[in-house]
Amino acid sequence: KAGVTQTPRYLIKTRGQQVTLSCSPISGHRSVSWYQQTPGQGLQFLFEYFSETQRNKGNFPGRFSGRQFSNSRSEMNVSTLELGDSALYLCASSLAGTGGPSEQFFGPGTRLTVL
Amino acid sequence: EDQVTQSPEALRLQEGESSSLNCSYTVSGLRGLFWYRQDPGKGPEFLFTLYSAGEEKEKERLKATLTKKESFLHITAPKPEDSATYLCAVTMYGGATNKLIFGTGTLLAVQP
């Protein structure tokens, strides 16, 4: 069974630009969550999508947005990039509906560097 | 404030030297506690989920336990390939089902 895939794996952008990252969950998984990982802050929750609806959002500015498609694939977008947005962006998928938590499986991440 | 704290921040062991990593949590209502392993430049790899105090799970040289305030990841007779960052995370009642709150991790180095 294929794991979570993320594209692109590496990205270099300059301040002020925008970027779109993509995530394909494990087949059959309907929940997709996004996390930002930095050396200073560790792993922080960005948002979660389930059945094309945003179920929760972390404490990030509105420049960070996302969406989920009917096939459960998800994208996140960061507009007006800042130097501090340089990070590893991780996507995680799980089966979980509304019945409680289930294991989340992470992709390899997209390394974003903002110059 | 909901918080997850891991200790130690870093641990260096000799091959075969058993030890434990700690994850303490302060959350309003624990729904589940998760352990992950992360290698440099890669995404976290799922290890265990624990749901209730007293629960234990094992996988090869790793054993995870849970109490009402903390979890331990016991590593028995580690090998160099066990070197990685070990992350602890929790989900809570009352919030999004899948939102994980992570600790900052323990960087484990096992020397041959």
Side-chain angles (χ1 to χ4, degrees):
Chain A
K1 201 172 191 180
V4 179
T5 58
Q6 293 187 244
T7 56
R9 291 293 313 279
Y10 303 92
L11 209 47
I12 299 175
K13 293 286 187 180
T14 56
R15 281 180 297 174
Q17 288 186 309
Q18 75 165 23
V19 66
T20 300
L21 312 180
S22 181
C23 171
S24 293
I26 293 170
S27 178
H29 285 195
R30 296 168 63 191
S31 169
V32 174
S33 298
W34 288 89
Y35 295 83
Q36 181 195 66
Q37 186 173 30
T38 59
Q41 298 297 317
L43 272 146
Q44 292 188 295
F45 173 78
L46 279 159
F47 27 65
E48 180 200 1
Y49 287 88
F50 181 79
S51 294
E52 303 178 65
T53 301
Q54 187 180 87
R55 195 150 71 171
N56 200 5
K57 189 176 185 336
N59 189 25
F60 280 83
R63 300 184 296 106
F64 292 82
S65 63
R67 59 178 175 170
Q68 187 180 33
F69 302 96
S70 58
N71 61 357
S72 294
R73 191 177 69 85
S74 178
E75 290 182 346
M76 68 162 282
N77 183 277
V78 187
S79 62
T80 319
L81 285 166
E82 301 178 358
L83 294 177
D85 297 333
S86 295
L88 181 66
Y89 290 88
L90 292 158
C91 166
S93 80
S94 75
L95 282 168
T98 57
S102 67
E103 292 79 5
Q104 291 188 56
F105 299 92
F106 284 82
T110 295
R111 171 70 64 183
L112 172 65
T113 302
V114 182
L115 303 177
Chain B
E1 183 185 351
D2 298 317
Q3 197 168 358
V4 177
T5 304
Q6 292 187 247
S7 61
E9 288 185 10
L11 181 62
R12 181 170 294 182
L13 299 174
Q14 291 295 123
E15 185 172 1
E17 180 187 2
S18 301
S19 188
S20 296
L21 313 183
N22 177 264
C23 170
S24 63
Y25 56 91
T26 307
V27 297
S28 50
L30 180 72
R31 186 185 282 272
L33 186 141
F34 302 79
W35 282 99
Y36 287 88
R37 167 195 170 126
Q38 187 174 27
D39 293 301
K42 296 187 176 182
E45 175 190 346
F46 171 79
L47 294 174
F48 303 109
T49 309
L50 301 167
Y51 291 108
S52 56
E55 190 174 359
E56 300 182 352
K57 288 192 177 173
E58 287 188 68
K59 178 181 179 180
E60 297 180 354
R61 295 178 292 284
L62 300 176
K63 179 181 176 180
T65 62
L66 181 65
T67 72
K68 289 186 178 179
K69 293 183 178 180
E70 58 191 349
S71 175
F72 291 94
L73 185 65
H74 307 278
I75 304 176
T76 302
K79 298 181 178 181
E81 53 262 43
D82 294 323
S83 298
T85 296
Y86 290 85
L87 296 163
C88 170
V90 300
T91 53
M92 300 169 296
Y93 288 105
T97 304
N98 284 334
K99 176 183 175 180
L100 288 167
I101 298 177
F102 279 89
T104 51
T106 293
L107 177 60
L108 175 66
V110 182
Q111 295 181 314

